[in-house]
Amino acid sequence: MQFEARLEWQRNGQPFLDQKYSRGHEWRFDGGLRVPASSSPLSVPLPMSVADNVDPEEALVAAAASCHMLFFLSIAAKRGHVVESYVDNPVGLLEKDGAGRMSMTNITMRPEIVFAGGDWPGEDEIAAMHHEAHDKCYIANSLKTEITIEPPIEPEG
Protein backbone atom coordinates (compact mmCIF):
# COMPACT_ATOMS: atom_id res chain seq x y z
CA MET A 1 0.00 0.00 0.00
CA GLN A 2 1.16 3.49 -0.74
CA PHE A 3 -0.27 6.77 0.52
CA GLU A 4 0.35 10.16 -1.02
CA ALA A 5 -0.22 13.78 -0.23
CA ARG A 6 0.75 16.99 -1.99
CA LEU A 7 2.17 20.06 -0.29
CA GLU A 8 2.21 23.49 -1.91
CA TRP A 9 3.99 26.62 -0.70
CA GLN A 10 4.78 29.79 -2.65
CA ARG A 11 7.17 32.60 -1.65
CA ASN A 12 5.00 35.17 -3.43
CA GLY A 13 7.75 37.78 -3.45
CA GLN A 14 8.35 37.73 0.29
CA PRO A 15 11.86 38.23 1.68
CA PHE A 16 13.33 34.79 2.30
CA LEU A 17 16.91 34.83 3.55
CA ASP A 18 15.93 36.78 6.68
CA GLN A 19 13.58 33.92 7.73
CA LYS A 20 10.60 36.31 7.77
CA TYR A 21 8.51 34.52 5.15
CA SER A 22 5.09 32.98 5.69
CA ARG A 23 5.06 29.32 6.68
CA GLY A 24 1.46 29.04 5.48
CA HIS A 25 0.99 26.32 2.90
CA GLU A 26 -1.59 23.78 1.76
CA TRP A 27 -1.90 20.02 2.04
CA ARG A 28 -3.88 18.29 -0.72
CA PHE A 29 -5.27 14.78 -0.50
CA ASP A 30 -6.95 12.38 -2.90
CA GLY A 31 -10.59 13.18 -3.34
CA GLY A 32 -9.79 16.89 -3.51
CA LEU A 33 -9.58 17.79 0.18
CA ARG A 34 -7.38 20.82 0.81
CA VAL A 35 -6.11 21.59 4.30
CA PRO A 36 -4.51 24.92 5.16
CA ALA A 37 -1.30 24.17 7.06
CA SER A 38 1.50 26.12 8.71
CA SER A 39 4.24 25.86 11.26
CA SER A 40 2.98 26.18 14.81
CA PRO A 41 3.12 29.69 16.30
CA LEU A 42 4.89 27.94 19.19
CA SER A 43 7.76 27.10 16.81
CA VAL A 44 7.75 30.06 14.45
CA PRO A 45 6.27 33.31 15.81
CA LEU A 46 3.38 35.17 14.25
CA PRO A 47 3.01 36.58 11.65
CA MET A 48 5.29 34.06 9.89
CA SER A 49 3.02 31.22 11.11
CA VAL A 50 -0.71 31.08 10.49
CA ALA A 51 -2.43 30.34 13.80
CA ASP A 52 -5.69 29.18 12.17
CA ASN A 53 -3.98 26.51 10.06
CA VAL A 54 -3.17 22.93 11.06
CA ASP A 55 0.44 22.43 12.04
CA PRO A 56 2.42 19.19 11.62
CA GLU A 57 2.55 18.56 15.37
CA GLU A 58 -1.25 18.81 15.72
CA ALA A 59 -1.66 16.60 12.66
CA LEU A 60 0.62 13.94 14.16
CA VAL A 61 -1.37 13.90 17.41
CA ALA A 62 -4.68 13.76 15.51
CA ALA A 63 -3.42 11.00 13.18
CA ALA A 64 -2.33 8.82 16.11
CA ALA A 65 -5.63 9.30 17.93
CA SER A 66 -7.70 8.80 14.77
CA CYS A 67 -5.89 5.56 13.90
CA HIS A 68 -6.37 4.26 17.46
CA MET A 69 -10.08 5.16 17.42
CA LEU A 70 -10.71 3.47 14.07
CA PHE A 71 -9.16 0.22 15.28
CA PHE A 72 -11.00 0.46 18.62
CA LEU A 73 -14.36 0.84 16.81
CA SER A 74 -13.63 -2.18 14.62
CA ILE A 75 -12.60 -4.29 17.62
CA ALA A 76 -15.70 -3.26 19.57
CA ALA A 77 -17.93 -4.24 16.62
CA LYS A 78 -16.20 -7.62 16.29
CA ARG A 79 -16.83 -8.24 19.99
CA GLY A 80 -20.51 -7.34 19.63
CA HIS A 81 -20.41 -3.95 21.37
CA VAL A 82 -22.22 -1.07 19.68
CA VAL A 83 -20.44 2.24 20.15
CA GLU A 84 -22.71 5.30 20.10
CA SER A 85 -19.95 7.88 20.36
CA TYR A 86 -16.20 8.17 20.79
CA VAL A 87 -14.76 11.57 21.72
CA ASP A 88 -11.10 12.25 22.43
CA ASN A 89 -8.97 15.33 23.02
CA PRO A 90 -5.46 13.91 22.62
CA VAL A 91 -2.47 15.93 23.78
CA GLY A 92 1.06 15.64 22.44
CA LEU A 93 4.11 16.69 24.42
CA LEU A 94 6.93 18.22 22.37
CA GLU A 95 10.16 18.40 24.33
CA LYS A 96 13.81 17.41 24.17
CA ASP A 97 14.32 13.65 23.97
CA GLY A 98 17.16 11.64 25.49
CA ALA A 99 19.47 12.75 22.67
CA GLY A 100 18.63 16.42 23.25
CA ARG A 101 16.52 16.77 20.07
CA MET A 102 13.03 18.24 20.02
CA SER A 103 10.68 15.32 19.72
CA MET A 104 7.05 14.39 20.33
CA THR A 105 7.84 12.34 23.44
CA ASN A 106 4.29 11.47 24.49
CA ILE A 107 0.79 11.45 23.11
CA THR A 108 -1.92 11.05 25.74
CA MET A 109 -5.41 10.01 24.70
CA ARG A 110 -8.41 10.25 27.00
CA PRO A 111 -11.26 8.78 24.98
CA GLU A 112 -14.79 9.07 26.26
CA ILE A 113 -16.78 6.21 24.81
CA VAL A 114 -20.51 5.65 25.02
CA PHE A 115 -21.81 2.18 24.25
CA ALA A 116 -25.41 1.44 23.27
CA GLY A 117 -27.82 -0.23 25.61
CA GLY A 118 -27.17 -1.44 29.11
CA ASP A 119 -24.65 -4.17 28.30
CA TRP A 120 -21.43 -2.16 28.45
CA PRO A 121 -18.14 -4.04 28.44
CA GLY A 122 -16.30 -4.03 31.75
CA GLU A 123 -13.17 -1.97 32.45
CA ASP A 124 -10.89 -4.95 31.77
CA GLU A 125 -12.46 -5.61 28.37
CA ILE A 126 -12.29 -1.92 27.43
CA ALA A 127 -8.61 -1.87 28.45
CA ALA A 128 -8.02 -5.00 26.36
CA MET A 129 -9.72 -3.38 23.34
CA HIS A 130 -7.50 -0.29 23.75
CA HIS A 131 -4.41 -2.50 24.01
CA GLU A 132 -5.37 -4.39 20.85
CA ALA A 133 -6.17 -1.13 19.02
CA HIS A 134 -2.76 0.26 20.00
CA ASP A 135 -1.01 -2.91 18.80
CA LYS A 136 -2.80 -2.75 15.43
CA CYS A 137 -2.53 1.02 14.85
CA TYR A 138 -0.23 1.70 11.89
CA ILE A 139 0.62 5.17 13.15
CA ALA A 140 1.50 4.01 16.68
CA ASN A 141 3.63 1.23 15.21
CA SER A 142 5.51 3.84 13.18
CA LEU A 143 6.35 6.17 16.06
CA LYS A 144 8.92 6.00 18.82
CA THR A 145 6.64 8.28 20.87
CA GLU A 146 5.15 6.90 24.05
CA ILE A 147 1.39 6.67 23.65
CA THR A 148 -0.72 6.65 26.79
CA ILE A 149 -4.42 5.81 27.01
CA GLU A 150 -6.00 7.18 30.15
CA PRO A 151 -9.46 6.28 31.34
CA PRO A 152 -11.85 9.21 31.41
CA ILE A 153 -12.02 11.03 34.72
CA GLU A 154 -15.26 10.13 36.43
CA PRO A 155 -17.11 12.96 38.17
CA GLU A 156 -17.03 12.72 41.95
CA GLY A 157 -20.18 12.27 43.89
Side-chain angles (χ1 to χ4, degrees):
M1 288 188 279
Q2 182 173 311
F3 298 88
E4 296 180 27
R6 179 180 173 97
L7 286 82
E8 290 189 18
W9 174 87
Q10 297 289 325
R11 184 169 69 88
N12 293 326
Q14 300 174 88
F16 187 77
L17 298 178
D18 64 358
Q19 298 286 327
K20 293 187 178 179
Y21 55 89
S22 174
R23 278 23 175 229
H25 58 284
E26 184 175 79
W27 298 343
R28 292 183 182 192
F29 299 95
D30 60 352
L33 180 65
R34 295 176 177 215
V35 177
S38 175
S39 58
S40 169
L42 299 174
S43 298
V44 177
L46 299 172
M48 284 82 68
S49 291
V50 183
D52 291 341
N53 293 9
V54 174
D55 62 66
E57 297 83 5
E58 293 170 322
L60 177 68
V61 171
S66 180
C67 183
H68 181 89
M69 178 198 69
L70 293 168
F71 275 107
F72 184 93
L73 295 174
S74 176
I75 293 161
K78 287 178 185 174
R79 292 182 178 212
H81 302 293
V82 176
V83 176
E84 291 291 347
S85 65
Y86 184 114
V87 177
D88 195 359
N89 292 297
V91 176
L93 181 60
L94 185 69
E95 62 183 358
K96 288 189 177 179
D97 64 12
R101 296 177 302 210
M102 291 303 288
S103 176
M104 190 70 64
T105 60
N106 181 272
I107 297 173
T108 300
M109 301 175 201
R110 294 179 185 93
E112 297 177 20
I113 304 160
V114 175
F115 294 89
D119 188 25
W120 284 38
E123 287 182 28
D124 289 344
E125 187 175 4
I126 292 172
M129 288 189 289
H130 279 301
H131 181 77
E132 186 178 347
H134 178 75
D135 283 347
K136 290 183 173 185
C137 174
Y138 314 136
I139 304 298
N141 291 335
S142 302
L143 299 174
K144 65 180 181 177
T145 302
E146 177 184 359
I147 298 178
T148 308
I149 312 294
E150 293 183 352
I153 299 170
E154 298 295 325
E156 293 183 23

